Each structure stands twice: as structure tokens, then as C-alpha cells.
Amino acid sequence: MIRYAIVGAGRMGNAHANNLSCIENAQLAGVYDILPERSRELAQKHNAAACSSLDELLALPNLDCLIVTTPTYAHAEAVQAACQANIGIFCEKPLCRTQDDADRLLALLEGYQKLFAVGFVRRHMYKVIKAKQMLDANTLGRILYCNVDLPHGKYKRMPGDWFADFELCGGAILDMLAHHVDLCNWFFGQPVNVYASSLLLDSKLPLPADYVASIVNYDSGVICNLMSSWQRVGRSGEMMEIQGEKGTLIIDGTDLLTYYDQQGNLQKIDPAAEFPAPKVAGHGVDNVNAASGFFRQSLSLTSALAGEKLPLPGIKEAYDSLKVGLAMIESSQTGKVVAF
Ligand SMILES: NC(=O)c1ccc[n+]([C@@H]2O[C@H](COP(=O)([O-])OP(=O)(O)OC[C@H]3O[C@@H](n4cnc5c(N)ncnc54)[C@H](O)[C@@H]3O)[C@@H](O)[C@H]2O)c1
């Protein structure tokens, strides 16, 4: 049995607990949130211990892994404590909020003997795995460019919420675009330079909202154009369009991939049909979609903690995605290209 602890019993803490409850060899041992009622509520739902401090949580017997789902600015503290306790760590993306914290975590985790994984959930989605296979098989030929369009049209956060404070969450760049920056890094190689313009979640606006337009150049020659927004009214969606010399592949918000071959023929690919259905077990709770990236991420994490060799994104991937995000922020602030 793999025994988990969760720090941060908000939206993602609850989501991970729900997924774990549907995995046969996973057990939630304890929960800690700075708001005691949240610890109690989540712990009660999953028959776990409600702890009154992070130290108490990490002192639970036979823990295998701490899941860090605190706000971004508080990740580093929890990751460091879990390192001291010498247990596995799963940290939600982004790795942390600042370069200093990122450097400290990189130094701490590079030689870490236990598992460290970061929550780049898209890497666990069938459509993304299939897209990576197609890129590796050179189906699209040499890749020329990639467009990422990531608007969130129902941004409701208000001042006082950490999600509306740029210094705490890093706005659309660090919070939302982090996923697609990671995919660009995974697909296209080493980023060479970054240019960006962003509202940086401007708190002077009557209702804080965000917008970023950025270009990242890769050493492979691929040009990536990434846009993301948090808007009060407007469309939501996601689209990653990868243009190669032999075809164009689109990963969007649906489960299907869209592929245009060299002759312009359109093909819809159903990646889920190519993978075995995941096993759902345990006491189970509502709202768990076994085919979702989130469930598959929890399954892979549990299998990796049980000793299976699985390529989970770790500290290097987390650090590299953050590096590009922080460069977008720097470029937006200085108006200059940031070269690596
Ligand atoms: N992978 C994804 O798709 C995805 C989606 C949403 C959020 N996230 C990430 O997950 C993290 C959490 O986001 P969320 O939406 O769950 O936030 P949230 O605000 O809903 O939950 C955070 C919880 O942490 C608690 N908390 C705050 N400081 C704490 C501390 N020092 N110690 C213990 N508990 C503390 C809060 O009381 C709250 O209950 C963020 O880093 C966010 O970027 C990832």
C-alpha cells in the first residue's frame, strides 16, 4: 500500500484525494491545511488523519509521499520539509514562484534518492502521449512552428484571493501557460530565448485580469508563439497547433487529435482507443474520470512509488518550465529579449 499525505486541502488537494481513492494500492494517510476546517473535511471524507501542522503530517508512520497542493508561493517550504523527512514528493505546478526558491529546490532535489514528480498533468493525457509519439516518429517531418492559444474566459478571482495577486501566483504565465511551456520544452528541445508582453495581472485594473503574448525560440529552430489570458468575459479554450514540413497536428480541449497531412487531408485521431483502459478500484468517490490525465497521473505516481520505472516529469522539467515563465515575466518588465 502506498501511503500519501496531502498539504493544502483546496481545489487540487481534493482532486488528488478523489483520484487516489480510486486506486487499489493507494491510501490517504493524512491531511494538513492552514485552515483546520479544510483539513478536517478532507480527512473525514477519506478516513485519514487531520493534522494541525506540517510537522505532524510528516511524522505520520510509513508515509511514502507528500502531495503539495498549497498555493504556488508556499510550495518550496513544503517540498523542503518533505525532503528532510526523506519521502517521495509530488508537487503541483508551477514548481514555485521565484528564481531563488527554484535554485534552492534544484540544488536540494538533483541528487534526491526518493521520487520527486511535478504536476504536469498534460503529459499523462492520451492525446499528448500520442502527439509525442507522432513527433518522435517524425510523422510531421521537421517542425517549423507552434501556436499555443490558451484563453480562460470566466476569470472570477478578486483582490484578496492569492490567484489575483501576481506576486503570489505569477498570473496566467506561471499558473496556466506553465503546462504548455513544459510541452514545448518536451517536444522541441532547449529554449534559446524569450520575448513577451504581458499585463502581469495588473492590480491597478478595476478587476484584475491578465494577458500574455510571447515568443520562445528553440535550439531546434522551432518558433513558438504562446498566448494566454485570464479575462472576465470571453471565450475559454486551448489549442496547440504544431506545424511540420509534412503535416500539421492540433491538440485542443477535446479528447481527439486533429491531423492534416501534406495533401491537406484532415484526419481525426482517437488516442484513447490505442491505450488499455485504466483500472479503477478502491472505495471510490464521485467525479473521478478514469480516462483523464489527472487520474492517469495519480496511477503513474502510485506505480512509480511502488517501484515501477516510469518517466514522470521531475525537478529538471519543473525547473526548465519555470525558467521560461520567469523569462517571460522579465521580458514583459524590461521590454527586452531574454537569452538563456
Ligand atoms: N495541475 C493543474 O492543472 C492545476 C490546476 C489548478 C491548480 N494547480 C496548482 O495547484 C496549487 C494549488 O491550487 P488550488 O487551486 O488547489 O488552490 P486553493 O487556493 O484552492 O487551495 C490551496 C489550499 O492550501 C491552503 N494553504 C495555504 N497556505 C498553506 C500552507 N502554508 N500550509 C498548508 N496549507 C496552506 C489553503 O488554505 C487552501 O485550502 C497551485 O500551485 C496551482 O497552481 C494545478
Side-chain angles (χ1 to χ4, degrees):
M1 187 61 74
I2 301 300
R3 277 168 58 82
Y4 286 95
I6 290 182
V7 58
R11 191 165 48 134
M12 291 313 293
N14 275 273
H16 287 298
N18 286 352
N19 283 320
L20 293 175
S21 75
C22 295
I23 295 173
E24 204 161 34
N25 59 333
Q27 181 191 16
L28 182 60
V31 180
Y32 166 62
D33 192 290
I34 37 164
L35 300 177
E37 66 276 15
R38 289 204 180 171
S39 308
R40 269 198 306 274
E41 205 177 302
L42 184 56
Q44 229 165 36
K45 184 172 175 189
H46 295 281
N47 202 18
C51 298
S52 49
S53 69
L54 183 56
D55 286 345
E56 190 185 321
L57 182 71
L58 291 171
L60 291 172
N62 305 318
L63 277 188
D64 293 292
C65 183
L66 178 70
I67 294 189
V68 179
T69 44
T70 49
T72 300
Y73 64 89
H75 286 179
E77 179 196 353
V79 170
Q80 278 171 298
C83 268
Q84 288 232 310
N86 196 33
I87 59 171
I89 305 165
F90 173 88
C91 179
E92 261 308 339
K93 52 46 63 180
L95 176 62
C96 52
R97 176 59 187 86
T98 66
Q99 186 66 52
D100 282 354
D101 277 350
D103 289 340
R104 217 175 25 250
L105 293 180
L106 183 68
L108 197 63
L109 288 162
E110 262 183 333
Y112 195 51
Q113 295 301 307
K114 296 285 165 67
L115 183 99
F116 175 85
V118 71
F120 286 135
V121 63
R122 278 169 180 69
R123 288 198 187 213
H124 301 270
M125 294 177 178
Y126 294 129
K127 58 188 174 186
V128 171
I129 297 168
K130 175 70 184 173
K132 174 73 170 139
Q133 287 171 354
M134 290 173 74
L135 292 170
D136 288 350
N138 203 31
T139 310
L140 281 74
R142 188 169 68 94
I143 306 303
L144 304 172
Y145 66 81
C146 170
N147 282 317
V148 171
D149 179 47
L150 194 63
H152 175 53
K154 289 183 189 153
Y155 183 70
K156 299 245 181 324
R157 306 296 180 145
M158 301 302 276
D161 184 329
W162 73 272
F163 264 117
D165 184 333
F166 185 74
E167 296 311 317
L168 300 184
C169 77
I173 294 176
L174 292 195
D175 194 76
M176 253 172 54
L177 210 46
H179 287 291
H180 284 84
V181 167
D182 172 60
L183 292 187
C184 290
N185 288 350
W186 196 31
F187 292 164
F188 309 131
Q190 288 296 316
V192 176
N193 57 41
V194 173
Y195 179 76
S197 256
S198 172
L199 291 177
L200 301 174
L201 193 48
D202 190 348
S203 60
K204 292 191 289 303
L205 292 171
L207 293 174
D210 207 355
Y211 175 81
V212 56
S214 58
I215 293 176
V216 182
N217 289 296
Y218 281 83
D219 61 352
S220 55
V222 178
I223 307 162
C224 291
N225 171 28
L226 299 101
M227 185 291 281
S228 186
S229 60
W230 284 351
Q231 50 204 29
R232 296 279 161 185
V233 184
R235 73 192 167 100
S236 289
E238 69 176 85
M239 202 266 317
M240 183 176 202
E241 176 191 29
I242 303 168
Q243 175 87 42
E245 283 182 335
K246 295 198 289 188
T248 298
L249 183 66
I250 296 173
I251 309 170
D252 60 21
T254 71
D255 291 335
L256 303 181
L257 287 171
T258 302
Y259 181 61
Y260 294 88
D261 68 16
Q262 234 167 351
Q263 285 71 44
N265 300 313
L266 184 153
Q267 199 187 334
K268 287 282 182 185
I269 302 169
D270 180 7
E274 298 178 22
F275 295 90
K279 203 170 157 211
V280 183
H283 67 78
V285 294
D286 306 335
N287 301 326
V288 168
N289 172 4
S292 73
F294 283 108
F295 185 72
R296 289 173 46 79
Q297 176 177 255
S298 297
L299 262 184
S300 297
L301 179 65
T302 306
S303 301
L305 288 162
E308 207 177 308
K309 286 243 169 307
L310 289 168
L312 296 176
I315 185 60
K316 187 173 180 321
E317 291 79 3
Y319 186 91
D320 287 351
S321 164
L322 188 74
K323 184 177 78 172
V324 174
L326 292 174
M328 286 179 189
I329 294 172
E330 184 185 333
S331 176
S332 298
Q333 286 167 333
T334 61
K336 297 200 167 102
V337 172
V338 177
F340 299 117

